[in-house]
Amino acid sequence: MNERLTITALGHEGDGIAETATGRIFVPFTLPGETIEADIGGERGQLIEVIEPSPDRIAAACRHFGVCGGCAVQHMAPAAYREWKRGLVTDAFAQRGIEVGVEPLVPLAPHTRRRAVFTVLKDHDGIALGFNRRDSHDVLKIEECPLLVPAIEKRLPELTLLAGAITERGKRARMTATSTDTGLDVSIDGGRKLGRRDFESLGQSAEGGPVARLTVGGNEVFASRVPELRTGTLVMYPAAGGFLQAAAPSEASLGDLVEASIGKVGPVVDLFSGIGTFTLRLARRFPVLAVEGDGELLKALDRSMRYSTGIRQVTTRKRDLFLNPMSPPELKPYKAVVFDPPRAGAKAQCEMLAKSTVPTIVAVSCNPATLARDARILIDGGYRLTRVTPVDQFLWSSHVEVVAAFEKG
């Protein structure tokens, strides 16, 4: 059923919201203040025509926008976009009864995402490497992506051919491609079982090519060059297919905020440390204990420690902080704690932190909702929230990174 609607707000997923006599209608690719015509089905609408556009409406940056399931708000002007993302953080904290002055969003430019996760499907039509179509499990073969660094975007045809040599017809696979200082680090899961001839041919094709390392199903096929990420005297070695901050400029902003919040006190414990994004930066000034549950990430951190210079003592500890969080007595020797958990947050660990005497806590999160929940736990335990800063790392999406600083008493 077609209906004319007025969009009054933008939802947390980036869909426009229209208030009607029968309830809210969510319409993608619309903006507040617009009059539109949409095909309505339940509480969802499909945009047919923008009758009166918002002054904040701009042309999309990508030919795949609206079909690709990745970006949600390429049609929004930068100033309105930044304020909307900041509002996502403000609203998440307000829902937990936390009134805080959220700082302006730290912006991110296009062509800065150094890590991409593609879906690969080989069928009778050929090889499709790309992302899921919007509201579908079908694979959209992409020809461009203004999110990606040129080192990945320009290599899409070569990555497609590589995926085709490894994947099995009719089955999906996942390719993670990371741009490093020494070349692309490519990991494929769900590919076919490789034989000796595959290893030989793939290894021979690697000479002088853009791929520094190829890993298939957790097994290293070749490493013509060691993938490295260098920042001054620090060097990080990413784990194949493992977690890494998606955009280098955002990682730098997060690191600056963490260091500024900690100030001049140490030693520091870095919880959910990963490959050492914050550990290594902090170790330039303080001894650091890095705690992480993923053994492969800790191996990568250990190598990074050995090849980085100008850092103080770093101690690593493998530990599942969801099942076995660090207790107040264990935390007592430390002057500051940094934690950067997965999207689920760090509820159990924050319950322990709330009972501790650690003077400074800095939380980094990609999920404002779980961060606000964890902040509520810390505040109820006697901590004071001093600063909240959103950092854009997932351009044109509803996802946003946040750094929050707390002081005891």
Side-chain angles (χ1 to χ4, degrees):
M1 178 180 67
N2 292 2
E3 188 174 340
R4 180 174 290 202
L5 302 171
T6 298
I7 305 299
T8 58
L10 205 63
H12 287 179
E13 298 298 323
D15 294 341
I17 300 174
E19 303 287 351
T20 72
T22 58
R24 286 184 166 183
I25 304 294
F26 295 87
V27 187
F29 316 125
T30 60
L31 296 172
E34 292 188 329
T35 301
I36 66 162
E37 183 178 356
D39 181 11
I40 308 301
E43 62 177 20
R44 303 289 299 175
Q46 182 176 348
L47 179 64
I48 296 174
E49 180 186 2
V50 177
I51 299 170
E52 295 181 14
S54 163
D56 292 323
R57 177 172 286 276
I58 61 173
C62 178
R63 75 179 79 172
H64 301 302
F65 179 64
V67 181
C68 177
C71 295
V73 287
Q74 281 191 19
H75 60 299
M76 190 190 307
Y81 167 80
R82 291 193 295 268
E83 191 56 34
W84 169 66
K85 275 214 164 172
R86 177 177 174 271
L88 297 178
V89 180
T90 301
D91 291 348
F93 277 80
Q95 288 173 8
R96 293 286 176 172
I98 304 171
E99 298 298 327
V100 60
V102 176
E103 296 187 359
L105 177 76
V106 178
L108 181 68
H111 293 294
T112 51
R113 184 174 295 185
R114 64 183 176 188
R115 181 179 186 271
V117 181
F118 301 108
T119 300
V120 181
L121 178 63
K122 182 177 5 178
D123 58 20
H124 61 276
D125 292 325
I127 307 161
L129 180 143
F131 306 116
N132 281 0
R133 291 178 178 271
R134 186 174 179 86
D135 299 324
S136 170
H137 293 295
D138 295 337
V139 181
L140 173 68
K141 182 177 181 178
I142 62 167
E143 299 177 9
E144 67 178 31
C145 179
L147 299 176
L148 301 178
V149 295
I152 297 178
E153 186 184 33
K154 291 180 179 179
R155 299 294 188 178
L156 288 173
E158 291 163 90
L159 291 174
T160 300
L161 289 176
L162 177 61
I166 294 171
T167 53
E168 191 173 347
R169 186 177 299 276
K171 293 186 178 180
R172 291 171 178 261
R174 186 180 73 170
M175 171 187 281
T176 302
T178 302
S179 175
T180 77
D181 293 331
T182 54
L184 297 181
D185 187 16
V186 177
S187 176
I188 298 178
D189 291 311
R192 63 182 177 81
K193 186 176 180 180
L194 302 183
R196 186 181 67 182
R197 290 184 179 179
D198 295 311
F199 279 78
E200 292 175 350
S201 62
L202 289 168
Q204 291 172 359
S205 67
E207 294 299 325
V211 179
R213 178 174 65 181
L214 174 64
T215 306
V216 178
N219 298 311
E220 186 176 286
V221 177
F222 65 77
S224 59
R225 302 176 300 281
V226 178
E228 294 181 349
L229 298 166
R230 290 189 172 272
T231 305
T233 61
L234 304 180
V235 57
M236 288 196 302
Y237 294 93
F243 175 79
L244 178 74
Q245 299 290 349
S250 301
E251 178 181 271
S253 297
L254 294 171
D256 290 344
L257 288 164
V258 167
E259 289 194 273
S261 298
I262 287 178
K264 299 180 180 180
V265 297
V268 180
V269 57
D270 183 9
L271 304 175
F272 307 95
S273 64
I275 64 172
T277 301
F278 305 122
T279 298
L280 296 175
R281 290 187 62 144
L282 294 170
R284 292 182 296 192
R285 293 187 292 156
F286 316 113
V288 179
L289 169 64
V291 185
E292 169 60 51
D294 188 322
E296 292 303 311
L297 297 182
L298 281 179
K299 288 179 183 177
L301 172 54
D302 180 71
R303 183 171 192 171
S304 299
M305 289 158 41
R306 288 186 281 113
Y307 286 92
S308 295
T309 59
I311 62 174
R312 303 182 67 176
Q313 180 182 2
V314 175
T315 305
T316 61
R317 184 178 301 170
K318 186 175 187 295
R319 183 163 174 171
D320 186 334
L321 293 168
F322 294 106
L323 299 177
N324 186 21
M326 289 190 71
S327 66
E330 293 175 292
L331 293 164
K332 191 172 183 179
Y334 299 96
K335 298 298 183 182
V337 169
V338 178
F339 68 91
D340 181 13
R343 288 187 60 80
K347 183 175 183 291
Q349 183 60 73
C350 283
E351 289 170 348
M352 294 293 102
L353 286 168
K355 300 173 184 177
S356 77
T357 57
V358 176
T360 302
I361 296 175
V362 184
V364 182
S365 174
C366 61
N367 187 340
T370 56
L371 174 60
R373 178 204 64 200
D374 294 344
R376 181 77 268 170
I377 294 171
L378 295 175
I379 292 169
D380 291 345
Y383 280 90
R384 181 168 60 92
L385 180 59
T386 60
R387 186 180 186 185
V388 177
T389 309
V391 177
D392 204 4
Q393 179 153 229
F394 305 98
L395 187 63
W396 297 316
S397 79
S398 60
H399 300 296
V400 59
E401 294 274 350
V402 190
V403 178
F406 303 82
E407 294 179 0
K408 190 71 173 184

